[in-house]
Amino acid sequence: MTTMRKQLQRNAVIEQLKKLDIHSIDGQPVSEVLYTTLLKTLALKRAADN
């Protein structure tokens, strides 16, 4: 995958988290958290909402 595509995917996940009012994870801004952690947090939030 190209770097640009990876960045776009990361940004899309960050935007989804922000829509769910998640702006930080473990005290770090979402923009500084690892991509895998972002995905895990998003999945857990979606599962909790269902």
Side-chain angles (χ1 to χ4, degrees):
M1 230 188 286
T2 65
T3 303
M4 176 71 112
R5 185 170 178 174
K6 286 181 183 179
Q7 189 61 38
L8 289 172
Q9 286 180 329
R10 179 182 174 81
N11 288 343
V13 172
I14 289 172
E15 288 301 315
Q16 290 177 43
L17 288 169
K18 287 182 178 179
K19 286 179 185 175
L20 296 170
D21 289 330
I22 299 174
H23 301 283
S24 65
I25 299 171
D26 293 333
Q28 293 184 351
V30 290
S31 61
E32 296 178 8
V33 178
L34 291 174
Y35 182 65
T36 54
T37 304
L38 294 173
L39 289 175
K40 180 179 168 184
T41 303
L42 182 59
L44 289 171
K45 178 64 175 168
R46 285 182 175 170
D49 287 349
N50 288 335

